[in-house]
Amino acid sequence: MRFDEYPYGSVAFVYDWIAAVYSRGRIGLSKRVQLDEIEADDRVLYAGVGRGEDAVLAARFGARVTAIDLAPAMIRRLSRRLEREGLDVELLCGDVSSHKPERPYDVVVANYFLNLFDVERAREMLRHLRGLVKPGGTLMLADFALPRGGLMARALTELYYRPVNWVAWAFGLCALHPILDHARLIEPLGFRIRSQRRLPVLLGDHPAYVSIVADRVI
Ligand SMILES: C[S@@+](CC[C@H](N)C(=O)[O-])C[C@H]1O[C@@H](n2cnc3c(N)ncnc32)[C@H](O)[C@@H]1O
């Protein structure tokens, strides 16, 4: 299934605001912490970049950033922002599945991107993203975290996640699916998870977001 430019284009203007309110700022934080893992001068690809707050931060820091998104409205917004700041980023409007650069990247970032897809399509997308990471390079992704522990953890996570998955599905923004088990998807593809930072939304441990850093070892 392809989540076309139109649904995301039509939410481009409010996307970051909704994400900030719904996650109490954790979505933004889950992306900002990734900057610790990027070296100035790294070649970094942002897949499904959206409005690209994370890509802007990396570019300001000195990384050589490429950002790709299907939605022209997202790319237009990001382009205006980069222009205002005088930042040099390679912006591509298109499907990341067809992106075939001359050489792979030091870092590939897929924030809140795999959750558009059901598990099979997410695996397929990850396989493609793996080919975009150089051997020894890094994959980073931030997304909804799986619950840890018993019934209460699962119930709180479901209550938080399912309604938003239904609504986004109804608007053609994503597939209907449970929260993805990212570790399970990533590791068989030859990545070793270096860190998983959990960012709870409320006081307890659930619901939460996770920011994962994984190295391509094979
Ligand atoms: C849920 S948003 C996440 C945006 C951003 N990464 C963030 O963290 O806010 C997913 C983005 O992926 C884009 N997208 C969906 N399918 C894509 C594809 N096959 N190739 C490139 N971008 C895609 C959408 O247009 C949308 O902007």
Side-chain angles (χ1 to χ4, degrees), residues 139-159:
L139 173 73
M140 293 201 268
L141 61 90
D143 225 309
F144 288 94
L146 278 177
R148 303 194 283 216
L151 206 60
M152 184 57 94
R154 285 206 298 278
L156 286 172
T157 302
E158 285 286 299
L159 275 174

Side-chain angles (χ1 to χ4, degrees), residues 3 8 15-16 31 47-50 54 68-71 74 94-97 111-113 115-117 121 125:
F3 298 100
Y8 273 98
Y15 182 84
D16 278 359
K31 297 191 259 192
V49 68
D54 40 10
I68 183 163
D69 202 289
L70 260 184
M74 291 290 195
D95 188 336
V96 71
S97 314
N111 287 332
Y112 301 92
F113 178 57
N115 73 26
L116 305 188
F117 311 114
R121 179 85 173 90
M125 184 57 85

Side-chain angles (χ1 to χ4, degrees), residues 122-133:
R123 188 176 285 118
E124 204 181 295
M125 184 57 85
L126 265 172
R127 220 173 272 130
H128 177 71
L129 294 182
R130 176 190 180 275
L132 298 176
V133 181

Side-chain angles (χ1 to χ4, degrees), residues 157-193:
T157 302
E158 285 286 299
L159 275 174
Y160 182 72
Y161 167 75
R162 284 293 180 175
V164 80
N165 183 234
W166 292 330
V167 171
W169 169 78
F171 282 95
L173 293 167
C174 69
L176 271 185
H177 61 83
I179 293 176
L180 298 173
D181 185 341
H182 296 98
R184 235 192 179 152
L185 288 169
I186 290 168
E187 285 178 329
L189 294 176
F191 289 100
R192 185 180 303 129
I193 292 183

